[in-house]
Every structure is written in structure tokens, then in C-alpha cells.
């Protein structure tokens, strides 16, 4: 097996948990989860999502870490090492390739949206939300989307922040950043929850989020929950595999994954609780605002609350930090590949990959103005095409292949050995779910994610 001389190991205990949680917690939890939960039936949706995390997300995450830790390299080299060890075809190396490509594509638009949070943080600290109502808040957001140079600026800053960390490598860059960002993130989260308590609307918010509206529960909601479980846990693209490659062999995979998944879910739920509490505490705005929830509805709430300057700034700072640690995990697999496979210095590797993702991201910037109605494929514009292609295809396909490879192709003794720190019961349940339930469930998402689009195309 090709082992790598320069390959790092996490320097401190808990680094893997921090890094993986940092990767998982991001725009998916803070921007997307509150509004999709609101739109798809509150408690019923939350339950579905929890089931998806437990029954599909956790087992696949364990498999992905196992691959990374066994292969001890970037996702491509890792998959090549492991499929050689298993005597399996080169086809399985594709998992690594798909991952690196998916990460690169997601990164290209993720920094554009994360860039908005930089912009909104600047507005928040300048107290620009005071006196906003629904209409003027909409206008403020539309003005941002229409302003190409502002979008490019924040996209560039976010990409630079991301690349800068990884230029220093895993131990000096990433580990140092997560050591302070993750505690700050937690403090901000608790402070926001505490403030939401003082508005007196936390209960209304909980009732909204946890009231059971069975009639809202549709087949479509199940698919959204399953797809979101993938995205929010950063699964299927090698980010978790790349981080697993730095994990010491003495760590218990199962226990670690359960902690990461619990933290991820907790952040999503706490965020939703205070976001809706802020919304309900503000007269004249609606809870179901869709994707505009944090950029249109929340600023109105911040503008009218007594400590709005601080709460608004704290909120957008929290989103920036969480998105930052996520973008780092999207960049790392490709950087590690160039570094390990072609001996590129980490600095050049970061410049090349982040530069290319930045360039591609310009397409996403234009998708919010000039190109918003320009169809790329199947009625979608540039950005929505990339989003669709990655979230609905590449990630689930990556996850499916990982489940099949670890469940059916990899030597069972090796999988047992990798999980010797976990209880034999956990191992048995994991293996069963990974072999039968998870692949079927994922197959269902893929088919249902693509089928509606195809039928629309055929009908045209
Ligand atoms: N999980 C992050 C979020 O919820 C996004 C993310 C980071 C991601 N790395 C990923 C999504 C890898 C898919 C794959 O915002």
C-alpha cells in the first residue's frame, strides 16, 4: 500500500470531533434547516429528519471515516489503497474522484452564499437593520443580489479566508482555527438562545417547530429530509473521509460519529428555536419565508428588537464562523490530493484549487443577476444546476457507493478490526443497516431526486 510520508495525525484529542462537527454545522443547519422544517410540517419533519440522520447518515458517516482512517490519505489515494487491499476493481477509486469533484463544485457556490453573510454582518454592525419592514428588507436583499461587484467581493473574501487556513496545513491551520471558532460558535449559539428566551416567544417557537402536522407530511418531505441529512452531515464527498485519514487508530469510530451527529442536529434545532422566536416576537412578519428567512425576515426582527445591534451582529458572526469551517472541509480533499499525489506545496495546492473554484463561482454570482434566467440544463440556471447536480446526484451516489463498498466489498475482518473500540452490538446493527437499509434508502432519494426533473424535461 502506498503510505504517505508527510501525512499528519490530529495533534490533540477531540480535534476530529471538532473538525467534523465544524464541517457538518454550516449554512445547512442555520440557513436551510429552519425554513425547510417550517415548510414541511414542523415536528413531523423534524422526526423524519432525525430518522434519516440515525438510519442513513450515521451508518454512512461511520463507513466513510473507516475508509479514510484505513487508507490514510486524500480520498482518491485512500480509495485506491483500499480497493487494492480488498482486491477490488479500479471502479471503486471513483468514490474518491466523485468526492473531490463534488467538494470542488459545492465550494464554488457555497462561498458565494457564505459571502452574503459577510455582507450582512457588515450591515448588522453598522446598525443598518433599524426600521426595516418586510418590503424594505426585501429591497435590501435584492439590491445585494443585483450588485455584481459586491457579490464578487464577498465571494473572493470568503474563498481567501478558506484557502488561507489550509495553506498552513492540517495541524497548524485547521486545528488552530477550530480550537477557537468552535467554542465561540457554541457561546454565540447559547447567547442567542438566551436572548430568545427573554423575548418570551421561545415557547411559541417550540410549539411551531414541534407541533405535529401530519397533513403536511408528504413523500416529498421525506425526500427533502433524507437529502438534507446527507448535506448537513457533509457526507458522500470525501470531506469526512479526508478528516478520518488524520484520526488515530485508537479512537472509537461509532461513538465519535454519534457525538458529531448529535451536535449537528442540536445546532439545527437550537438555531430554529431562536430564529422562529425572533420572528414571532416581531409584529407583521411571517414565519414561512422560505430561503429568505435569515436574509429577509430576520433582519426585520433584528432591526426592531432592543439589543438588535448586538444580536444581529452575533447572529451573522455565528453564520460566518460555521460556514467558514464548512468551506475548509470542502477544500481539503482536493488540496490534500494535489499535495500528496503530485507533491505540490500546500500553498500552491490551495492557490490552484481555491482559484479554480473562485473562477467557477463567478458563474454562480452571475446566476443571481444577469444569468438568473439563463438555462444551463433542464430549466435550471448555472448555480441551481450545480446545486442540483451535486446535492441530488453526486452526494447520494457517493454515499451509495460507500455503503456498498464497505458493506459488501471490503473484508469483514478489516471492518471489525476498525471498529474494535466500539461495542459488538453497535457493530452488528451498523453492518446490517449499512448493507441493507442505507443503500435502498439512498437509491430511493437518487431516483426521486432526478425523476421529477426528467419528467418535466420529457413533458416539454
Ligand atoms: N455540512 C455543511 C452544511 O450543512 C456543508 C458541507 C460541508 C458539506 N462539507 C460538505 C455538504 C461536504 C456536503 C458535503 O452547511
Amino acid at each position: 500500500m502506498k503510505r504517505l510520508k508527510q501525512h499528519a495525525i490530529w495533534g490533540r484529542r477531540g480535534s476530529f470531533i471538532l473538525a467534523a462537527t465544524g464541517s457538518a454545522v454550516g449554512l445547512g443547519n442555520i440557513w436551510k434547516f429552519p425554513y425547510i422544517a417550517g415548510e414541511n410540517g414542523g415536528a413531523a419533519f423534524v422526526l423524519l429528519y432525525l430518522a434519516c440522520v440515525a438510519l442513513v447518515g450515521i451508518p454512512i458517516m461511520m463507513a466513510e471515516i473507516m475508509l479514510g482512517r484505513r487508507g490514510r490519505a486524500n480520498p482518491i489515494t485512500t480509495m485506491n489503497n483500499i480497493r487494492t487491499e480488498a482486491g477490488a476493481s479500479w471502479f471503486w477509486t471513483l468514490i474518491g474522484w466523485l468526492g473531490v469533484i463534488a467538494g470542488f463544485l459545492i465550494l464554488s457556490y457555497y462561498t458565494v452564499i457564505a459571502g452574503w453573510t459577510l455582507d450582512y454582518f457588515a450591515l448588522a454592525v453598522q446598525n443598518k437593520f433599524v426600521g426595516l419592514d418586510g418590503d424594505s428588507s426585501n429591497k435590501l436583499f435584492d439590491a445585494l443580489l443585483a450588485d455584481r461587484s459586491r457579490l464578487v467581493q464577498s465571494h473572493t473574501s470568503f474563498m481567501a479566508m478558506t484557502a488561507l487556513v489550509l495553506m498552513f496545513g492540517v495541524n497548524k491551520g485547521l486545528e488552530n482555527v477550530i480550537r477557537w471558532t468552535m467554542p465561540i460558535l457554541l457561546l454565540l449559539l447559547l447567547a442567542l438562545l438566551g436572548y430568545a428566551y427573554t423575548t418570551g416567544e421561545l415557547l411559541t417557537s417550540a410549539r411551531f417547530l414541534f407541533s405535529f402536522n401530519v397533513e403536511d407530511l408528504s413523500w416529498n418531505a421525506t425526500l427533502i429530509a433524507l437529502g438534507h441529512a446527507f448535506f448537513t452531515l457533509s457526507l458522500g464527498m470525501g470531506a469526512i473521509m479526508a478528516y478520518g485519514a488524520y484520526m488515530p487508530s485508537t479512537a472509537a469510530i461509532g461513538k465519535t460519529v454519534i457525538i458529531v451527529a448529535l451536535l449537528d442536529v442540536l445546532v439545527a434545532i437550537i438555531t430554529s428555536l431562536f430564529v422562529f422566536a425572533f420572528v414571532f416576537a416581531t409584529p407583521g412578519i411571517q414565519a414561512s419565508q422560505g430561503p429568505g428567512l435569515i436574509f429577509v425576515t430576520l433582519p426585520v426582527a433584528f432591526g426592531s428588537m432592543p439589543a438588535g445591534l448586538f444580536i444581529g451582529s452575533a447572529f451573522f458572526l455565528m453564520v460566518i464562523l460555521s460556514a467558514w469551517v464548512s468551506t475548509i472541509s470542502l477544500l481539503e480533499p482536493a488540496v490534500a490530493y494535489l499535495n500528496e499525489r503530485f507533491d505540490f506545496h500546500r500553498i500552491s495546492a490551495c492557490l490552484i484549487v481555491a482559484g479554480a473554484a473562485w473562477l467557477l463561482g463567478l458563474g454562480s454570482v452571475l446566476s443571481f443577476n444577469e444569468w438568473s434566467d439563463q438555462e444551463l440544463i433542464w430549466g435550471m440556471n448555472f448555480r441551481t444546476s450545480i446545486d442540483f447536480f451535486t446535492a441530488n446526484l453526486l452526494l447520494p451516489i457517493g454515499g451509495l457507493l460507500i455503503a456498498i463498498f464497505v458493506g459488501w466489498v471490503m473484508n469483514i475482518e478489516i471492518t471489525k478490526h476498525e471498529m474494535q473500540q466500539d461495542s459488538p452490538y453497535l457493530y452488528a446493527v451498523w453492518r446490517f443497516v449499512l448493507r441493507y437499509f442505507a443503500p435502498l434508502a439512498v437509491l430511493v432519494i437518487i431516483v426521486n431526486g432526478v425523476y421529477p426533473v426528467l419528467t418535466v424535461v420529457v413533458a416539454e
Side-chain angles (χ1 to χ4, degrees):
M1 251 204 270
K2 204 157 87 200
R3 297 273 178 190
L4 295 139
K5 47 184 187 311
Q6 75 269 54
H7 203 77
I9 289 279
W10 297 114
R12 278 168 275 199
R13 281 195 65 210
S15 282
F16 177 84
I17 292 185
L18 285 185
T21 307
S23 166
V25 173
L27 295 173
N29 306 58
I30 301 174
W31 167 63
K32 207 166 173 198
F33 182 76
Y35 84 80
I36 56 176
E39 277 177 355
N40 293 286
F45 179 84
V46 175
L47 277 181
L48 263 180
Y49 158 79
L50 291 179
C52 293
V53 167
L55 293 174
V56 181
I58 291 181
I60 292 187
M61 194 177 206
M62 286 164 64
E64 198 173 326
I65 293 177
M66 187 179 284
L67 290 172
R69 191 168 77 173
R70 184 93 195 153
R72 286 264 180 256
N74 65 79
I76 297 173
T77 314
T78 282
M79 283 315 301
N80 205 34
N81 286 345
I82 295 191
R83 67 103 190 154
T84 313
E85 182 183 60
S89 130
W90 59 264
F91 167 80
W92 299 103
T93 308
L94 219 64
I95 295 177
W97 277 106
L98 280 179
V100 169
I101 293 168
F104 174 80
L105 292 175
I106 297 176
L107 178 66
S108 78
Y109 75 79
Y110 201 100
T111 49
V112 175
I113 298 178
W116 304 347
T117 64
L118 285 180
D119 218 286
Y120 265 67
F121 176 69
L123 294 176
V125 289
Q126 295 170 57
N127 218 1
K128 287 274 171 63
F129 299 147
V130 175
L132 280 186
D133 59 17
D135 267 353
S136 50
S137 188
N138 248 321
K139 287 210 183 84
L140 191 70
F141 188 51
D142 287 342
L144 169 69
L145 296 191
D147 191 338
R148 261 178 310 162
S149 70
R150 236 169 106 193
L151 293 178
V152 171
Q153 244 172 35
S154 57
H155 165 55
T156 311
S157 314
F158 219 95
M159 192 64 85
M161 279 163 57
T162 307
L164 192 68
V165 178
L166 287 179
M167 286 181 183
F168 290 94
V170 168
N171 299 120
K172 286 211 195 86
L174 176 57
E175 260 186 301
N176 278 338
V177 167
I178 51 175
R179 286 275 145 187
W180 59 268
T181 47
M182 299 310 283
I184 295 180
L185 208 66
L186 182 71
L187 283 181
L188 290 172
L189 192 76
L190 295 180
L192 287 162
L193 184 67
Y195 186 81
Y197 178 77
T198 68
T199 63
E201 296 294 340
L202 213 46
L203 254 178
T204 331
S205 170
R207 233 174 271 136
F208 173 73
L209 206 59
F210 298 124
S211 66
F212 218 95
N213 304 323
V214 184
E215 63 283 5
D216 290 344
L217 205 57
S218 58
W219 178 230
N220 196 34
T222 320
L223 295 177
I224 295 176
L226 205 51
H228 188 65
F230 255 89
F231 190 84
T232 189
L233 292 175
S234 307
L235 291 181
M237 60 124 308
I240 292 298
M241 201 188 292
Y243 283 0
Y246 306 122
M247 194 177 184
S249 356
T250 49
I253 293 181
K255 219 170 73 191
T256 309
V257 168
I258 291 170
I259 295 174
V260 172
L262 275 179
L263 288 173
D264 184 61
V265 166
L266 218 61
V267 173
I269 290 181
I270 292 179
T271 308
S272 309
L273 278 177
F274 67 67
V275 164
F276 287 122
F278 292 156
V279 172
F280 290 133
T282 316
I285 52 176
Q286 290 290 318
S288 56
Q289 272 282 344
L293 186 61
I294 76 164
F295 295 105
V296 179
T297 314
L298 268 191
V300 180
F302 294 141
S304 69
M305 60 177 62
L309 170 65
F310 297 103
I311 296 302
S313 311
F315 176 77
F316 283 106
L317 181 63
M318 178 181 114
V319 193
I320 291 171
L321 292 180
S322 69
W324 187 31
V325 189
S326 295
T327 50
I328 293 172
S329 76
L330 288 164
L331 180 61
E332 170 61 17
V335 167
Y337 178 64
L338 289 188
N339 173 240
E340 294 171 351
R341 173 75 176 75
F342 299 106
D343 250 342
F344 275 101
H345 192 280
R346 282 196 77 98
I347 295 186
S348 356
C350 284
L351 287 176
I352 294 170
V353 182
W358 176 84
L359 210 61
L360 190 68
L362 295 182
S364 290
V365 166
L366 291 174
S367 301
F368 290 104
N369 37 72
E370 256 98 307
W371 290 1
S372 66
D373 301 323
Q374 288 271 332
E375 175 173 336
L376 185 64
I377 42 164
W378 299 343
M380 293 177 285
N381 71 25
F382 188 84
R383 194 201 70 83
T384 40
S385 303
I386 296 190
D387 190 358
F388 175 82
F389 183 64
T390 50
N392 296 358
L393 280 174
L394 290 183
L395 297 184
I397 290 174
L400 178 66
L401 293 178
I402 288 171
I404 296 175
F405 183 80
V406 177
W408 297 89
V409 181
M410 216 167 144
N411 184 330
I412 178 169
E413 292 310 321
I414 293 180
T415 61
K416 265 196 192 137
H417 174 77
E418 289 291 328
M419 273 191 57
Q420 57 185 338
Q421 284 90 355
D422 285 299
S423 93
Y425 298 110
L426 181 67
Y427 176 81
V429 173
W430 167 73
R431 191 167 156 84
F432 180 81
V433 176
L434 189 75
R435 278 164 71 95
Y436 302 101
F437 184 78
L440 263 178
V442 174
L443 203 64
V444 171
I445 331 181
I446 298 176
V447 172
N448 282 281
V450 178
Y451 185 72
V453 181
L454 283 184
T455 47
V456 171
V457 174
V458 173
E460 276 170 358

